[in-house]
Amino acid sequence: MFWQRKDLLGLRYLTPEEINLILDTAGPMKEIIGRKIKKTPTLRGRSMVTLFYENSTRTRSSFDLAGKFLSADTVGLSSSSSSVAKGESLRDTGLTLNAMGVDVVVIRHPASGAAEYLAKCIPAAVINAGDGTHEHPTQALLDMYTIREKKGSLTGLKVVIIGDLLHSRVARSNIWGLTKMGAEVRVAGPMTLIPQDIKAMGVKVYTKVEEALAGADVVNVLRIQMERQQQGLFPSIREYSRLYGINQSRLELTAADAIVLHPGPMNRGVEIDPQIAYGNRSVITEQVTNGVAVRMALLYLLTGGEYHAISN
Ligand code: CP
């Protein structure tokens, strides 16, 4: 199968076959990350710019490393250190980068739809690295890769997503992706942090976290996004932690081999107990490694690579 899209804007738009193609391509990429010399000539002569209008540790640095491991030329731009700070528009910034011959632009932006807008403005491939509360497709792909690696398949798994679903682009991308791949997706959190129309995305909604966790195979704990909270959506951090935080007694409600994910950055002791975050059910560190592999796969596919044709 060939990748046929110019951009990666969201999992809402992908078919299960396309999702499988990305996850299958990430496997050989992960093997490269495990080598002592993490360098292949696959994308030599190709270029990638990361254009970040919001802070990031994982996504930005993993795209940068993904490009470098494949020998692409990489440039990192942030809104505070570029001409965006002088008022340059997203369209003009994109056209400027495009005129320099860039092949892939990876964008993170606080406005939902920004990646799609940029993709319409420029012929270069655009990858959405998180747009407002809309989607964060590469995070969901690395989550799905990690789950598939641990569980063998996504089909039929009971996956619980807990927390601030209202503001979470990670949750939205996971829901689109996991439901397409045949998983049962349960969401849980305070009613004030669950969008009213979320059932239409094919999920089961729970307000009691214990009911959602019963027999679950996977628990994906969302970050409480302090920076996006309006007043009054939940009483207090301590109350949130008491009612919805993932701790040992709640984890015991899940399947005996259930795994715990968190997209990071974590508010340790708020949405997740530190003992769980660093315990033997946690796959949070593996998520970070897999993030590089999935992003290598995407750079490869969006620049014209075929699965099974990766050169060493
Ligand atoms: N999960 C995630 O997007 O992390 P960063 O904000 O550090 O990129």
Side-chain angles (χ1 to χ4, degrees):
M1 182 183 174
F2 299 96
W3 182 261
Q4 293 183 331
R5 294 178 191 268
K6 178 175 95 63
D7 312 294
L8 178 78
L9 302 176
L11 294 198
R12 179 177 193 165
Y13 316 108
L14 298 193
T15 64
E17 292 73 25
E18 287 172 310
I19 292 172
N20 270 329
L21 176 65
I22 297 165
L23 302 186
D24 291 345
T25 307
M29 298 298 179
K30 188 167 180 185
E31 188 268 316
I32 295 169
I33 300 169
R35 294 180 195 167
K36 192 170 178 187
I37 307 296
K38 303 169 182 54
K39 198 83 170 172
T40 73
T42 312
L43 295 189
R44 195 161 54 199
R46 312 307 293 266
S47 56
M48 174 195 74
V49 173
T50 56
L51 178 59
F52 274 55
Y53 290 73
E54 282 183 353
N55 295 341
S56 166
T57 297
R58 279 149 283 269
T59 312
R60 185 170 172 175
S61 51
S62 62
F63 264 114
D64 197 24
L65 283 172
K68 287 183 162 73
F69 289 169
L70 295 173
S71 300
D73 296 308
T74 66
V75 173
L77 279 181
S78 63
S79 51
S80 59
S81 61
S82 67
S83 290
V84 170
K86 300 177 196 164
E88 189 163 44
S89 69
L90 175 57
R91 181 171 182 272
D92 286 346
T93 303
L95 289 172
T96 301
L97 296 174
N98 196 72
M100 293 177 192
V102 69
D103 295 302
V104 182
V105 178
V106 178
I107 179 171
R108 172 170 287 188
H109 200 284
S112 299
E116 193 166 341
Y117 172 72
L118 181 65
K120 287 187 179 135
C121 294
I122 59 173
V126 172
I127 298 179
N128 182 3
D131 62 329
T133 58
H134 176 227
E135 283 223 35
H136 191 348
T138 64
Q139 177 67 45
L141 287 164
L142 77 87
D143 292 344
M144 288 194 286
Y145 182 90
T146 306
I147 297 168
R148 200 179 77 162
E149 190 177 52
K150 293 287 173 192
K151 298 287 176 191
S153 167
L154 297 165
T155 310
L157 290 180
K158 298 182 181 71
V159 181
V160 187
I161 305 175
I162 296 175
D164 180 1
L165 290 121
L166 186 64
H167 299 99
S168 179
R169 55 198 180 200
V170 173
R172 292 177 68 81
S173 287
N174 263 280
I175 292 169
W176 287 122
L178 287 164
T179 52
K180 278 174 205 267
M181 302 309 285
E184 176 190 312
V185 181
R186 305 170 178 179
V187 299
M191 282 311 283
T192 47
L193 294 180
I194 295 182
Q196 286 187 344
D197 56 354
I198 201 161
K199 268 192 188 162
M201 295 177 78
V203 301
K204 295 183 178 174
V205 179
Y206 297 81
T207 47
K208 274 191 78 72
V209 74
E210 289 80 6
E211 290 173 9
L213 289 169
D217 302 295
V218 178
V219 183
N220 198 345
V221 186
L222 300 175
R223 181 172 71 91
I224 286 291
Q225 301 191 37
M226 310 292 186
E227 72 278 21
R228 293 192 217 273
Q229 296 300 331
Q230 301 129 40
Q231 290 294 314
L233 289 177
F234 57 89
S236 70
I237 293 292
R238 186 182 296 184
E239 183 83 346
Y240 180 86
S241 183
R242 193 175 64 77
L243 292 174
Y244 300 100
I246 293 303
N247 53 30
Q248 187 57 40
S249 62
R250 291 204 168 111
L251 196 58
E252 281 166 16
L253 301 170
T254 64
D257 60 349
I259 56 173
V260 178
L261 292 84
H262 191 302
M266 277 184 278
N267 300 301
R268 279 188 290 140
V270 179
E271 69 262 5
I272 188 164
D273 190 293
Q275 284 181 319
I276 305 299
Y278 297 105
N280 58 6
R281 304 274 205 97
S282 168
V283 294
I284 295 169
T285 306
E286 280 136 294
Q287 282 177 271
V288 176
T289 307
N290 293 337
V292 182
V294 163
R295 287 163 181 137
M296 287 168 78
L298 285 166
L299 293 177
Y300 174 72
L301 291 170
L302 266 73
T303 51
E306 295 170 31
Y307 180 52
H308 291 317
I310 302 165
S311 58
N312 287 315

